[in-house]
Amino acid sequence: MYPETAYEITTLTPQQPTGHGPMLPHEIPPGVQMVTLPGGVRTLAYTAQQAPPAPPVPVAQPIPAWAKTTALLTPTVGGGVAAAGIGLSYAAPGLIAMSQALWAAVALIAAAAVGVPLLLRLGRGAAGTGRGTTHITQNITASGMFGKANGTINHH
């Protein structure tokens, strides 16, 4: 089918004229390299492309203790916040009623602070039958910073 052809590697030696000088490194095409044959002769030859080295296999690093602690606390804190939110949603009507009761208590205290002295003043004026008002004068004297104090009370 196909005729048998014998191939022979021939190299350029200094005795064979080529018509031009040796190839410069930038003139060598990709996939061609300078090789040394077993007889010591150097020549250009096609070489098989070497596969790039496999990337190094990553070594598993231990997980830091702070990361483990954080990972364990995250659901706990999230669950606590969720429980607090649910509790506040159930307590909201009671809290609103309590705040309204506190405002009512404040209003009652304010009304008592104004109303009781007014009622007492009105009651004294109607109950007095010709008696005048009583004036009390008090004189206190003391000598020195830690001296004994003496005083007199005068009713008018």
Side-chain angles (χ1 to χ4, degrees), residues 49-79:
Q49 292 290 336
Q50 293 181 350
V57 177
V59 178
Q61 298 290 331
I63 298 173
W66 65 266
K68 290 180 183 178
T69 304
T70 304
L72 291 173
L73 283 177
T74 301
T76 305
V77 171

Side-chain angles (χ1 to χ4, degrees), residues 6 12 17 22 35 47 55 61 64 66 78-79 81 83 91-92 95 98 107 116 146 152 155:
L12 297 176
V35 294
T47 57
Q61 298 290 331
W66 65 266
V81 169
L95 292 174
M98 190 183 307
V116 169
F146 297 106
T152 57
H155 293 279

Side-chain angles (χ1 to χ4, degrees), residues 7-8 13 22 26 31 36 45 49 62 68-69 77 88 100 120 130 137 140 147:
Y7 292 98
E8 182 178 330
T13 59
H26 70 276
T36 304
Q49 292 290 336
K68 290 180 183 178
T69 304
V77 171
L88 283 175
Q100 291 174 351
L120 289 176
T137 305
I140 299 174

